Amino acid sequence: MRNGDVAGPAHHDIVILGTGTVASALAAVLVRHGVKVVMAGDEAHPAAGLDEMGAEVTRHLRVLGARYKVPEFQRFAAFEPLLAELPAPLGAELCHSFVYQRPGRSPEPSEVMQVSMPAKAPPEPNLRRPALDRRLREVAESLGASVRTGAKVARVSVADGVVTVTDVDGERLTADYLVDASGPGSVFLTDRRLIEPGSRFTTRTRSLYARLAGGRPMEEVMRPAKAYGKAASWTGGSTHHLFAGGYLRAIPFGNHPGAAARSTGVTLTLDADLHPEQGAPQEQFAEFLSRYPALAEQFEGAEPVEPWVSTGRHQHSVSHTVGHRWCVIGDAAGYVDPFNSRALAAGLGAVNMLAWRLLEAVRDGDYATERFEPLDRFTRRSLNANDDLTAMLTASLCDAALAKSALYVLQAGFRFGGFPALDAYGQLLATGSDAAFRELEKAPYPGSLFPTHAGYQRLFTTAAAECAAVASGRAEAAEAAGRVFAAVREADFVPAVLGLDDPATRFVRLTPATVLRLVLWSFTRAPDDLGPLVRRGLRIALRGR
Ligand SMILES: Cc1cc2nc3c(=O)[nH]c(=O)nc-3n(C[C@H](O)[C@H](O)[C@H](O)COP(=O)(O)OP(=O)(O)OC[C@H]3O[C@@H](n4cnc5c(N)ncnc54)[C@H](O)[C@@H]3O)c2cc1C
């Protein structure tokens, strides 16, 4: 199975660069199936201090745990077990809000939107990244992965069927195959000139982030409460504050019963051309707050509990993610923007696609590049789709109505787009077969919020074109927003009960009555390809598995 010349205790089947969540999840899966794995990471973690929305991350860990028989992942697969597993703080996500902000004014009550989880559903978790990385690395290690921490990789070579990784101290590791999960600064990608200069993406954004203690709860700022209608608690989940030129994501931490202290993870993402980096991150944040009175009031007196981090321009892309005896996953393979809060989850999705291929390659002693090429196509198309999504959002931000119409198109995708994966998970649990997951890899629109659905792709394309026309001065915002809402209305796969076709809708709630009406819709009016999927998806989602 292994290269005869180098087999020995220091030689491994697979070497993984990086010791983050993506790297550790892959290592744990592989060692569980008897593969000899070594991870090499320098622990100079770029995600230090990073707070993340974790709903998709936990879903992916649940799937990986079930598909690859790593029950340890269940400890990270829902809010309650995570409370015990990770050191505080954790954030509870019971609703998610969007608020349109204008300079010098309080938000208009008509320009808010909130999506709430079904009543009594457990909250989705928001996480501190370094804690998750550390715990997953411990899991991988406890299952048998070799972990070289403090190993700053200096060079990687692939010759005569052997991968050799050399760290800055000259220590060497050899393996049959390399998985690079070392983020955008990858030495391997840099040396091979695989990084596309300036990236191929149209998105041009950068972020500042920190976790803040103090300030006011959002409830005290969104006043008079009556004007904002039937909003659930604003601090019951995260909020994206949208404005022309960017967005501020605020994630409440310690907002659950029994939490010792509250804090807020803030990420300010700006158009890098409109807002070039000027001054220290904290000064940039203060300058930003000075333009938006409600946000200035909310964060008045708030202090960072960890230093601010400025990312510089985010976008990173590579020309190939698969080659002879190597592949690249996670942010190393590409990164667009934090808006849809799914990049880490996408990295775990890549683990799901890669792991069975690696297990078969190790078994067969055959690492032919063709075996891994579907991963390359999937990754590149997914990143391009994320770029399209971010471009649509960015273009829409110049106008509140247009931004709302774009968000409702995204919501239409979020509502049912995850159901094919849920369905595949349900089939895995019921039959033990992963055939549905393998089929999903062939979905026609990878990276789309609804990757299996042509109708959704058409709706998204229409909305993106309208937003682009406004941004380039070819269309008027209010009229374009009207056309986008009309397109949502005409889409037979968007049930009217959600109100996503109505500019006046502010609150999307999955109450028992809404769920009942959705089920009814799935029998009576939903297109044939969607009705049964919606019923199966709702059943699994409501069981919370
Ligand atoms: C502001 C912001 C907000 C975000 N919010 C979310 C969110 O809410 N939800 C979400 O899912 N995603 C979010 N993301 C994205 C998410 O953080 C990344 O997708 C994730 O960090 C990628 O993980 P990774 O393991 O691929 O890479 P990284 O986290 O970059 O890890 C790379 C690892 O490789 C190591 N390494 C690098 N170079 C070397 C070397 N030469 N030698 C040895 N080791 C090396 C590093 O130390 C590190 O451990 C956000 C990103 C940003 C910037």
Side-chain angles (χ1 to χ4, degrees), residues 430-441:
T431 66
S433 162
D434 68 356
F437 279 110
R438 293 191 188 219
E439 206 46 44
L440 260 187
E441 290 182 1

Side-chain angles (χ1 to χ4, degrees), residues 206-209 277 279-281 284 308-312:
R206 65 184 183 92
S207 297
L208 318 165
Y209 63 86
E277 183 114 33
Q284 295 180 51
W308 278 90
V309 176
S310 172
T311 64

Side-chain angles (χ1 to χ4, degrees), residues 23 50 52 55 78 118 138 196 198 210 218 223 260 280 310 329 335 352 402 407 410 479 496 535:
L50 190 56
E52 315 228 20
E138 286 164 8
E196 294 172 321
M218 202 170 149
R223 291 200 177 277
S310 172
I329 57 172
Y335 186 73
N352 200 6
L402 190 64
L407 284 177
L410 299 184
E479 288 172 8
R535 287 193 293 280

Side-chain angles (χ1 to χ4, degrees), residues 41-42 46 50 52-53 129 151 153 182 249 330-331 335 341 343-344:
D42 62 2
L50 190 56
E52 315 228 20
M53 296 177 68
R129 254 308 287 295
V153 172
S182 65
R249 183 181 75 176
D331 280 13
Y335 186 73
S341 305
L344 183 57

Side-chain angles (χ1 to χ4, degrees), residues 62-121:
R62 203 177 309 153
V63 166
L64 286 172
R67 184 175 183 186
Y68 294 104
K69 306 193 179 6
V70 188
E72 290 80 356
F73 286 168
Q74 298 310 323
R75 307 206 302 250
F76 307 90
F79 186 82
E80 279 300 324
L82 272 169
L83 261 185
E85 198 62 39
L86 299 184
L90 205 64
E93 184 88 352
L94 286 165
C95 56
H96 184 77
S97 311
F98 295 89
V99 176
Y100 194 79
Q101 301 279 354
R102 295 159 192 271
R105 287 166 57 177
S106 290
E108 292 291 331
S110 61
E111 294 174 357
V112 302
M113 178 205 159
Q114 190 178 67
V115 185
S116 308
M117 309 253 296
K120 299 212 173 117

Side-chain angles (χ1 to χ4, degrees), residues 109-170:
S110 61
E111 294 174 357
V112 302
M113 178 205 159
Q114 190 178 67
V115 185
S116 308
M117 309 253 296
K120 299 212 173 117
E124 292 179 335
N126 292 323
L127 304 158
R128 307 270 302 129
R129 254 308 287 295
L132 179 67
D133 283 1
R134 196 167 45 250
R135 290 294 295 118
L136 275 174
R137 192 170 67 225
E138 286 164 8
V139 167
E141 205 165 6
S142 71
L143 292 174
S146 299
V147 182
R148 307 280 167 91
T149 49
K152 187 164 184 60
V153 172
R155 235 178 15 261
V156 181
S157 65
V158 183
D160 302 327
V162 180
V163 177
T164 305
V165 173
T166 310
D167 73 15
V168 287
D169 298 322

Side-chain angles (χ1 to χ4, degrees), residues 340-360:
N340 75 356
S341 305
R342 284 182 164 204
L344 183 57
L348 293 172
V351 169
N352 200 6
M353 256 187 104
L354 175 61
W356 68 266
R357 290 184 164 81
L358 277 176
L359 292 175
E360 290 185 359

Side-chain angles (χ1 to χ4, degrees), residues 279-445:
Q282 190 152 2
E283 289 163 12
Q284 295 180 51
F285 187 62
E287 192 279 326
F288 163 77
L289 290 182
S290 72
R291 283 184 273 136
Y292 297 95
L295 292 170
E297 195 185 338
Q298 185 179 342
F299 291 107
E300 188 183 5
E303 289 293 335
V305 286
E306 279 170 37
W308 278 90
V309 176
S310 172
T311 64
R313 194 183 157 209
H314 283 295
Q315 293 71 41
H316 156 79
S317 66
V318 299
S319 54
H320 298 86
T321 64
V322 164
H324 176 57
R325 297 231 170 210
W326 58 266
C327 72
V328 190
I329 57 172
D331 280 13
Y335 186 73
V336 179
D337 180 271
F339 175 73
N340 75 356
S341 305
R342 284 182 164 204
L344 183 57
L348 293 172
V351 169
N352 200 6
M353 256 187 104
L354 175 61
W356 68 266
R357 290 184 164 81
L358 277 176
L359 292 175
E360 290 185 359
V362 173
R363 181 197 64 202
D364 301 344
D366 176 3
Y367 295 89
T369 306
E370 307 82 78
R371 287 176 168 239
F372 302 95
E373 269 166 359
L375 181 69
D376 182 65
R377 282 193 292 278
F378 185 90
T379 305
R380 290 164 52 74
R381 290 187 61 193
S382 295
L383 286 161
N384 292 347
N386 192 12
D387 186 36
D388 292 344
L389 184 156
T390 313
M392 173 173 86
L393 177 89
T394 309
S396 78
L397 292 177
C398 61
D399 179 84
L402 190 64
K404 197 173 198 182
S405 72
L407 284 177
Y408 280 20
V409 167
L410 299 184
Q411 276 306 316
F414 278 129
R415 281 314 98 207
F416 300 139
F419 280 8
L422 262 186
D423 199 24
Y425 178 60
Q427 289 182 41
L428 177 74
L429 294 183
T431 66
S433 162
D434 68 356
F437 279 110
R438 293 191 188 219
E439 206 46 44
L440 260 187
E441 290 182 1
K442 300 176 203 148
Y445 313 105

